[in-house]
Amino acid sequence: SSALSIRQLTKTYSNGFQALKGIDLDVAEGDFFALLGPNGAGKSTTIGILSSLVNKSGGTVSVFGHDLDRDPAGLKRCLGVVPQEFNFNQFEKIFDILVTQAGYYGILPKVARERAEYYLHQLGLWDKRDEASRMLSGGMKRRLMIARALIHHPRLLILDEPTAGVDIELRRSMWNFLIELNRQGITIILTTHYLEEAEQLCRNIGIIDHGRIVENTSMRELLKQL
Ligand code: ADP
Ligand code: ADP
């Protein structure tokens, strides 16, 4: 079955700039998919539309059959997004950030606390649970964003340049964490402008450039062509 289906997606920003010029994209359930492209290609715009932070101009988007226009709440329930920029309440304790997030999905407080504990352990942040998020290093903030995106157990996780600016050691441990999540059955899409990251992690790849998908193939096929 299909985890993500995008048809003829367009975005023209209010200054007239056409950031997406008719994107078609399909990602199957269980896939680990890379959306690769240079800066300015339209990756963040696409993710912004999926997370309802950017209004699309045209086209359709659906996640596990939930259409963004007709069933935005259904779409939201099965999607977790890790944005590029940190957008936490800087003064809230990190344990509370996760519990608050769970509350947005109607998760009971007891379950929310159990899940927060689980993901903080998984991501090596348990010792920091009582600190305000502004006290965390960049790498820790990134891991906290991953924990927050997983708290409602989404079936599809989308990460926007998850390891940009992260040192090599942490990058490897984040990669291993994502590989394990995918093994557990979560479909993962990440954007990157870094072919090695896509090569290490992903089975299938879409290449985006100037608001168009210019290639959509398996990682194996792509590497043969290079
Ligand atoms: P929309 O077309 O979705 O309404 P806007 O064009 O109004 O979006 O822009 C949303 C925000 O993005 C504004 O705050 C704007 O200043 C900012 N912005 C404008 N140009 C750029 C750019 N090239 N890259 C990133 N952000 C931008
Ligand atoms: P990527 O994530 O691939 O680097 P983006 O989706 O952030 O690309 O941006 C695609 C293009 O749209 C870029 O040329 C960027 O400057 C432009 N852009 C992004 N946001 C806005 C905005 N709010 N208003 C106008 N142009 C924007």
Side-chain angles (χ1 to χ4, degrees):
S1 96
S2 170
L4 174 67
S5 172
I6 293 179
R7 288 288 169 276
Q8 283 304 304
L9 184 63
T10 56
K11 172 63 185 179
T12 304
Y13 281 105
S14 49
N15 65 357
F17 183 79
Q18 221 187 333
L20 301 179
K21 299 171 182 162
I23 300 277
D24 289 309
L25 199 62
D26 284 287
V27 177
E29 178 166 18
D31 202 355
F32 202 140
F33 189 91
L35 189 59
L36 179 76
N39 281 324
K43 303 181 297 293
S44 296
T45 299
T46 305
I47 290 181
I49 291 169
L50 278 157
S51 36
S52 296
L53 295 171
V54 174
N55 293 315
K56 62 186 168 65
S57 304
T60 60
V61 172
S62 73
V63 175
F64 288 103
H66 301 280
D67 182 88
L68 177 63
D69 296 316
R70 277 172 291 170
D71 183 14
L75 184 149
K76 210 173 167 181
R77 269 197 305 278
C78 47
L79 176 65
V81 177
V82 181
Q84 249 184 79
E85 68 293 348
F86 311 122
N87 54 353
F88 303 113
N89 174 345
Q90 297 276 301
F91 297 96
E92 197 173 12
K93 290 179 181 178
I94 74 166
F95 187 85
D96 298 342
I97 285 175
L98 298 183
V99 173
T100 301
Q101 178 76 7
Y104 298 145
Y105 292 90
I107 295 165
L108 295 174
K110 179 175 181 293
V111 176
R113 287 193 297 270
E114 285 165 8
R115 289 188 188 178
E117 181 173 342
Y118 174 78
Y119 286 115
L120 290 174
H121 277 299
Q122 285 279 308
L123 286 154
L125 292 170
W126 180 244
D127 292 346
K128 303 282 176 190
R129 63 190 175 280
D130 289 327
E131 297 208 20
S133 71
R134 69 194 166 91
M135 304 304 288
L136 301 180
S137 70
M140 288 174 184
K141 285 179 179 171
R142 235 169 246 279
R143 282 178 280 153
L144 177 58
M145 290 201 292
I146 296 176
R148 185 179 57 175
L150 289 169
I151 201 82
H152 61 294
H153 288 175
R155 297 168 70 189
L156 172 62
L157 180 68
I158 301 184
L159 307 102
D160 198 0
E161 306 254 359
T163 63
V166 165
D167 67 54
I168 186 72
E169 209 171 310
L170 179 58
R171 179 176 294 159
R172 296 221 168 270
S173 86
M174 284 174 68
W175 284 355
N176 289 335
F177 179 78
L178 295 175
I179 289 167
E180 184 50 36
L181 276 183
N182 182 244
R183 280 207 191 103
Q184 290 166 14
I186 298 180
T187 307
I188 299 182
I189 300 175
L190 58 80
T191 73
T192 184
H193 56 256
Y194 174 46
L195 181 65
E196 196 210 332
E197 181 158 76
E199 194 184 328
Q200 291 285 324
L201 294 174
C202 300
R203 271 189 294 283
N204 291 300
I205 184 164
I207 300 180
I208 183 171
D209 192 24
H210 290 97
R212 288 200 170 86
I213 298 287
V214 295
E215 179 87 82
N216 187 352
T217 185
S218 68
M219 204 62 235
R220 189 175 304 171
E221 282 302 317
L222 181 79
L223 293 173
K224 268 194 231 159
Q225 290 171 31
L226 294 179

